[in-house]
Amino acid sequence: KNQVEQSPQSLIILEGKNCTLQCNYTVSPFSNLRWYKQDTGRGPVSLTIMTFSENTKSNGRYTATLDADTKQSSLHITASQLSDSASYICVVSAGSWSGGGADGLTFGKGTHLIIQP
Amino acid sequence: GAGVSQSPSNKVTEKGKDVELRCDPISGHTALYWYRQSLGQGLEFLIYFQGNSAPDKSGLPSDRFSAERTGGSVSTLTIQRTQQEDSAVYLCASSLADRGLYNEQFFGPGTRLTVL
């Protein structure tokens, strides 16, 4: 069964500090992996997308890594800001409709990040 | 206002009542998805529309759930005889084309449904 596991479930850090969120997946075949940011009361917004051949991708203070061999991804946030407080969701896409719910996508439950001043 | 919009933003209803949730996708997006997000859970796929093709309804949890998409644009998710376990945030997303490899889904703000 295709699964996406995220850790930690929640995290509290001080403003200005760095943090790393983890995503482990068992989706097969693998097509791509996205990290989404979901602010409270809003829909998820895509931060990065990574394909099999990509190891690192940055979007401002967000840097995602992907190890397709170990099926792990991480999202590193540098110099955190209060506006980074949100849920971060890892979504893995299968290459066909052979897995991942009924739409080829398997969603993690997210990491709830709180930035304290 | 180029984003996905949903209405209402909040809906409180009594058990057994029917509810309708509306989604206006981004203009020009042919693909439309409905998801359900329960507290502490990941997004649960409900239904997918792509152009004029028959919708993929395989994620609908019961026959009390149905959805339509009129004219390839606005979509309505209907829940009949609501139950307390239907309480959740219902998210709509749209994308440019088929659920292909790299098509980004753009999500609406969701409708928070509370069934008393």
Side-chain angles (χ1 to χ4, degrees):
Chain A
K1 179 181 177 181
N2 290 335
Q3 288 186 317
V4 174
E5 300 288 340
Q6 292 189 243
S7 62
Q9 187 174 15
S10 61
L11 180 63
I12 302 174
I13 63 171
L14 294 176
E15 184 180 10
K17 298 296 186 182
N18 304 335
C19 66
T20 300
L21 314 180
Q22 300 291 341
C23 173
N24 297 339
Y25 62 92
T26 58
V27 175
S28 182
F30 173 84
S31 174
N32 62 75
L33 183 149
R34 283 189 189 273
W35 282 94
Y36 283 88
K37 178 186 179 188
Q38 185 175 20
D39 293 314
T40 300
R42 308 290 293 273
V45 175
S46 179
L47 292 174
T48 65
I49 178 172
M50 301 185 73
T51 60
F52 184 87
S53 59
E54 295 175 302
N55 301 119
T56 303
K57 183 168 283 188
S58 294
N59 178 2
R61 294 179 297 101
Y62 300 101
T63 299
T65 65
L66 175 65
D67 186 334
D69 292 330
T70 61
K71 299 186 177 182
Q72 295 179 325
S73 176
S74 66
L75 181 68
H76 185 75
I77 304 175
T78 304
S80 61
Q81 300 177 0
L82 296 179
S83 59
D84 293 332
S85 295
S87 287
Y88 292 83
I89 302 170
C90 176
V91 183
V92 182
S93 175
S96 68
W97 304 116
S98 60
D103 62 345
L105 299 175
T106 304
F107 289 80
K109 294 182 179 182
T111 292
H112 186 53
L113 176 64
I114 298 174
I115 311 299
Q116 288 187 337
Chain B
V4 177
S5 61
Q6 292 186 246
S7 60
S9 55
N10 282 284
K11 176 71 176 179
V12 180
T13 189
E14 295 180 346
K15 177 182 174 180
K17 299 289 188 182
D18 297 351
V19 295
E20 284 190 354
L21 313 180
R22 176 187 170 105
C23 172
D24 280 274
I26 293 173
S27 178
H29 281 192
T30 59
L32 187 147
Y33 309 73
W34 282 100
Y35 294 92
R36 179 168 68 176
Q37 187 175 35
S38 302
L39 190 63
Q41 300 298 313
L43 272 70
E44 174 189 5
F45 168 77
L46 297 177
I47 189 169
Y48 161 74
F49 296 90
Q50 167 55 18
N52 296 321
S53 302
D56 178 351
K57 305 179 181 180
S58 56
L60 295 178
S62 76
D63 59 8
R64 295 187 295 105
F65 288 72
S66 63
E68 291 184 342
R69 188 178 186 191
T70 55
S73 180
V74 172
S75 177
T76 301
L77 177 69
T78 301
I79 308 173
Q80 295 178 311
R81 305 181 302 283
T82 53
Q83 303 294 314
Q84 289 182 331
E85 59 263 29
D86 298 335
S87 297
V89 175
Y90 289 82
L91 289 164
C92 174
S94 70
S95 68
L96 267 174
D98 197 358
R99 46 192 175 184
L101 297 180
Y102 308 111
N103 286 321
E104 179 179 352
Q105 292 178 317
F106 293 84
F107 285 85
T111 292
R112 180 175 297 278
L113 175 65
T114 303
V115 182
L116 302 177

